[in-house]
Structure formats: C-alpha cells, structure tokens
Amino acid sequence: MALIVQKYGGSSVADAEKIRNVARRIVRTKEAGNQVVVVVSAMGDTTDDLIKLAQQVTSQPTQRELDVLLSTGEIVSSALLVMALQSMGHQAISLNGAQAGIQTDSAYNRARILKVEARRLLAELEKGNIVIVAGFQGITKDMDITTLGRGGSDTTAVALAASTKAARCERYTDTEGIFTADPRVVPEAQRLDEISYDEMLELATYGSKVIHPRAVELGELYDVPILVASSFTDNPGTLIHREVAMEVRNKVRSIAHDLDVAKITIVGVPDRPGIAASIFVALAEAGISVDTIVQNASTKDITDLTFTVARSQLKSAMAVAEPIAKSIGARECVGDDKLGKVSVVGTGMQNAPGFAARMFKTLSDKGINIELITTSEIRITCIVAENKVKDAVRALHSAFELDKKQPSK
Ligand code: ASP
Ligand code: MG
C-alpha cells in the first residue's frame, strides 16, 4: 500500500461541482489501494477576495490578523471536500495546518516551515481515513496562525510528502503538466513526460506559474517525485524528479516567459568600493526583491548599474534608489516598466556551446532588441520589450525545435 499526497489548486475546487469531481478522483486513488493525504487551496479567488475585504476594513491590516483571515480560505475547502467524500460513503477527516503538525517560524504572511509533526495525520490514516489538509498555513511555537506566502499550498503538499515519506506528491491544477512553452502562447507546445528539479526550478523562477519554486526546491531537497497534472482530465502529466532520460541531452527543455518585469538603471555611477552595497542594502531593507543585476565595465571610473524588480515594486524601488543615486553623485536614475523576460532552460545546455548564439540570432532575425542578458549553467534569459515577449517565445520555440514530440525514456 503506497502513501500518496495529492494537492488540488484553487481552480480545481472553485465550486461545489468541482469539489465533487475532486472527491471522485480521490476515491479512485484510495480504491486503487493507496493511503491518501490531500492538500487543498482556497476555492477559486477566495484568497484575493479575503485580502480585498481586509483592505475595505482598514488600509493597514496587521499581518497577524491577515494570516488568521487568509487561513480560513483553505479551511473552507478542506471541510467541503470531506463532506463530499463522506456523502460518497468514504471515511475522511479535515485537518487545519496546526492540527496537521505544520510548525513554522513567526514571519507572518511568508512563514517558513520548520518542522512537520505528522503523528496525528499518520494516526488518522491508520484509522482508514482519507486526510484532507488545509494548505498554505501553519502554526508558530506560540500557537499563532501563519501563512506561507501566496501559492504556499504547493509547499505544504511537498512538505507533507517529505515528512510522511510518501511515494510521491501529485499536484493537480487546470493545466496538463509542464510544456515546452506556455501553450496559450505557443499552440504547438508539447507536454514533457518528465523534467529535472533543477530545470523546473529555473522555469518556475523565471515565469512558469504551474508550480511554486519553493515546492520544487523542497522536492529536490527531500527527493520527493512530484507529478504535475490536470484535475479535469486523465492525461499523464509531467513527472518532476531527479533522473531524466539521457536522450534529451544537448537540448533546450522548455521556454519560460514573464511579463512582470521593470528595470532601473542608475547612470554614471562612480566606480568605487561600497556603492553597490549602499544601493542593494537599502533595497533589501525596504523589502524589495531584486532580480537581475548588471554592472557595466567602467570607463574612466564611471559605470552604469542596472537591475530588475517586479513591476509592482518599481515605484518603491525608485523611491529608494533615487536619493541614493543622488547622494553618491550618479548622473540619473531611470525606470522602465514595459519589459518582459524570455528564458531558455535545459540541463542539456551545460558545457554545450552555441545555445546563446542561437538564441541571440533568433531574436535579432525577428528584430527584437535585447536589453539585458543573464545566464545560469542551465538557463539563458533575455530581457526584451514587453510587447515582443510572445513573439520571442514563439520564434525560440521553433528555432530550438521544440514543436516536435519530445523524446522520453
Ligand atoms: N490560497 C493561497 C493563494 O491563493 C495559497 C495557494 O493557493 O496555494 O495564494
Ligand atoms: Mg489560490
């Protein structure tokens, strides 16, 4: 008998009928002879709605009470799912984050899981129950409710799979798996049978919304295979795991894009020690997460410093950077929020020459200007104008021959 952890996203439990649909799928897994733990997200846009509601009451809700409020979304869906299972004649029980033993630090709204004390959960499984856990939440050692940050239910699911030594974690959503590009942008995109943790982490960090990067990281750390599939079909999905077929070496695995990019350039920065530190320390203290950073080689001891942030953070980042730019004697500080990112990802690119050249040539043939370039061992990212991102994805998809059925094992 295998223990399987399943996770259903908000769109999969968006209404009563969808909850019953999910219940039927859970029953199938149980009747195939498995023990089942299920993590649920809040129904549909519940979390957004709760945030709006809080903001109607006060423009500055305290973080503690916001977490109490937001945690209720997942509790609602867990109880409803148990009711659906019980009405189908199955034994099930709902547990909130605290009852499921999810212990976190006390960073409200973005808590980290410190430990999972799974005794209660395992005892419920032993009694023959299907256990439904409210995702995205935990409890501090002082018994305060925390949430894990937006999209945190994925992390709950992988953490539970790791701590119960489950055979695997199955993550169901409204997409059929991981594709060679977003199928809404590239209709010819192919579903991948499998992908490595490292590749998935790059894709998730650089724009793929299919699974939260933290969950992938945790999966890799504890070696939990994660299946990503649709809750609306029976198609096989994509397995995220360590060992990926050899035949796909020397290939790009997938293309990610992100339309939420803004750039700040500090022009004419004096090139002396401590300048970068003064800017980025201040940004970090203001809670602004900086992504790509590029500093030009200096000429005559003057350089330009460019970095990117999420578009929603441009204003606050400018407010921090501008006075510092002035105080260090830089010429000016320029912001641009009409940018996007396109990234090609594949472990097969490691130590293989020519991928960057092909990417840049493809973009130049399309007349797309590259603003910034960043790379890791298995990723090349170009920052381009927002209105060119989709063209870039399509052109790269065919240049790297991703429209053909991908080889698997
Ligand atoms: N309901 C939370 C959110 O919308 C957590 C999740 O769905 O994973 O961010
Ligand atoms: Mg959600």
Side-chain angles (χ1 to χ4, degrees):
M1 188 164 43
L3 168 54
I4 296 189
V5 175
Q6 299 187 330
K7 186 256 167 175
Y8 291 91
S11 58
S12 299
V13 293
D15 58 38
E17 184 39 46
K18 290 188 175 127
I19 289 175
R20 295 181 62 80
N21 169 56
V22 164
R24 283 188 289 270
R25 300 181 69 100
I26 295 169
V27 166
R28 262 198 283 157
T29 309
K30 169 92 179 171
E31 286 184 340
N34 301 298
Q35 287 186 315
V36 196
V37 173
V38 177
V39 174
V40 278
S41 280
M43 296 169 69
D45 296 327
T46 301
T47 308
D48 291 321
D49 296 342
L50 290 170
I51 292 172
K52 280 185 209 135
L53 193 56
Q55 279 162 351
Q56 283 165 21
V57 173
T58 163
S59 61
Q60 281 178 322
T62 58
Q63 294 190 319
R64 181 187 185 282
E65 298 315 314
L66 200 57
D67 273 0
V68 173
L69 180 71
L70 295 192
S71 70
T72 63
E74 271 66 12
I75 295 174
V76 169
S77 42
S78 67
L80 291 171
L81 187 52
V82 168
M83 291 175 199
L85 286 163
Q86 288 171 336
S87 76
M88 293 171 189
H90 291 271
Q91 227 180 293
I93 186 167
S94 66
L95 298 177
N96 65 20
Q99 292 171 311
I102 297 174
Q103 301 174 4
T104 73
D105 62 19
S106 53
Y108 294 118
N109 306 169
R110 54 188 164 84
R112 295 246 149 206
I113 298 177
L114 299 176
K115 187 176 164 206
V116 179
E117 179 48 79
R119 226 170 330 168
R120 169 78 190 272
L121 194 154
L122 293 170
E124 295 299 342
L125 286 174
E126 281 312 306
K127 287 188 220 157
N129 277 315
I130 298 168
V131 182
I132 312 292
V133 178
F136 169 60
Q137 57 190 269
I139 194 142
T140 68
K141 63 176 182 353
D142 298 325
M143 306 291 275
D144 288 311
I145 293 170
T146 53
T147 66
L148 307 181
R150 298 307 305 269
S153 298
D154 287 352
T155 307
T156 306
V158 177
L160 287 180
S163 60
T164 59
K165 306 213 163 37
R168 67 172 182 275
C169 181
E170 301 175 348
R171 187 209 181 279
Y172 293 101
T173 162
D174 54 2
T175 50
E176 304 248 322
I178 312 302
F179 283 72
T180 49
D182 185 337
R184 287 166 299 189
V185 175
V186 186
E188 307 78 44
Q190 301 286 316
R191 184 184 52 78
L192 298 167
D193 290 330
E194 57 176 356
I195 189 165
S196 69
Y197 293 114
D198 291 339
E199 290 168 321
M200 191 63 234
L201 192 55
E202 295 275 12
L203 291 175
T205 309
Y206 283 83
S208 164
K209 302 271 185 302
V210 181
I211 183 164
H212 199 287
R214 239 169 102 187
V216 180
E217 227 166 18
L218 207 56
E220 175 160 35
L221 197 58
Y222 292 93
D223 230 334
V224 179
I226 307 170
L227 178 76
V228 178
S230 166
S231 65
F232 299 101
T233 68
D234 287 322
N235 295 339
T238 302
L239 187 66
I240 308 169
H241 63 155
R242 206 170 294 278
E243 296 301 328
V244 173
M246 299 292 288
E247 289 91 332
V248 288
R249 272 205 67 80
N250 212 29
K251 274 203 66 112
V252 166
R253 182 94 54 188
S254 177
I255 298 173
H257 73 277
D258 184 352
L259 292 170
D260 180 20
V261 182
K263 164 184 100 163
I264 294 179
T265 302
I266 307 179
V267 187
V269 179
D271 192 11
R272 54 166 200 263
I275 295 281
S278 67
I279 297 167
F280 293 108
V281 166
L283 288 165
E285 279 169 358
I288 294 164
S289 143
V290 172
D291 187 31
T292 308
I293 302 174
V294 180
Q295 181 183 300
N296 291 343
S298 66
T299 42
K300 297 203 187 90
D301 293 336
I302 295 286
T303 182
D304 294 342
L305 191 64
T306 301
F307 57 92
T308 63
V309 295
R311 210 168 285 169
S312 58
Q313 298 210 297
L314 177 62
K315 246 190 164 160
S316 31
M318 281 294 274
V320 173
E322 264 177 328
I324 297 177
K326 206 175 237 161
S327 73
I328 58 179
R331 200 158 66 234
E332 59 176 337
C333 194
V334 204
D336 179 352
D337 68 351
K338 298 273 181 308
L339 295 171
K341 261 183 235 163
V342 52
S343 305
V344 300
V345 172
T347 34
M349 303 191 324
Q350 242 171 135
N351 308 321
F355 285 93
R358 192 138 132 219
M359 181 174 192
F360 305 154
K361 173 87 170 58
T362 305
L363 296 178
S364 93
D365 287 349
K366 286 274 159 195
I368 299 172
N369 186 42
I370 303 170
E371 302 254 350
L372 290 176
I373 300 164
T374 69
T375 63
S376 77
E377 279 183 1
I378 62 166
R379 171 185 53 80
I380 308 166
T381 299
C382 291
I383 296 189
V384 301
E386 180 193 3
N387 60 7
K388 298 287 186 193
V389 168
K390 290 183 179 170
D391 285 347
V393 175
R394 284 187 277 262
L396 292 167
H397 196 265
S398 64
F400 287 105
E401 297 171 356
L402 296 178
D403 11 30
K404 300 182 193 126
K405 176 75 190 114
Q406 300 300 301
S408 59
K409 294 187 202 155

